[in-house]
Amino acid sequence: MAVATLAAVLIAGQAQAGTDLKQVCAADYFKFCSDVTPGGGRIIACLKSHEKELQPACAAGIRDIDPAKVGEQKR
């Protein structure tokens, strides 16, 4: 029972972190990557390609994300 509860909390935490990152990077996304087709980590890759131009909070948020693994997390 405790393991299931812990798993639910971790999953919810990951979802919340993703939501926060979307909010933090929204302006940068619209500025640099709004023409990128979502999926397969393309938006993260686009943001990373503009890392030096991003707002500090967005740059910090995407720094450790591997675009190649973004699609795998939802499976």
Side-chain angles (χ1 to χ4, degrees), residues 40-55:
R42 287 186 286 271
I43 292 174
I44 295 295
C46 175
L47 288 170
K48 281 182 168 279
S49 74
H50 293 279
E51 189 170 354
K52 293 182 186 213
E53 304 163 89
L54 301 178
Q55 297 174 59

Side-chain angles (χ1 to χ4, degrees), residues 13-66:
Q14 289 173 345
Q16 181 63 40
T19 300
D20 292 345
L21 187 58
K22 285 181 183 180
Q23 291 172 348
V24 167
C25 292
D28 291 322
Y29 163 76
F30 285 110
K31 185 174 182 179
F32 300 112
C33 304
S34 62
D35 62 337
V36 175
T37 303
R42 287 186 286 271
I43 292 174
I44 295 295
C46 175
L47 288 170
K48 281 182 168 279
S49 74
H50 293 279
E51 189 170 354
K52 293 182 186 213
E53 304 163 89
L54 301 178
Q55 297 174 59
C58 181
I62 66 162
R63 195 163 288 130
D64 295 329
I65 298 175
D66 182 352

Side-chain angles (χ1 to χ4, degrees), residues 1-3 5 10 25 32 57 60 62 64 67 72-75:
M1 183 75 160
V3 174
T5 303
L10 290 175
C25 292
F32 300 112
I62 66 162
D64 295 329
E72 294 175 8
Q73 293 173 356
K74 295 185 179 185
R75 291 183 190 166

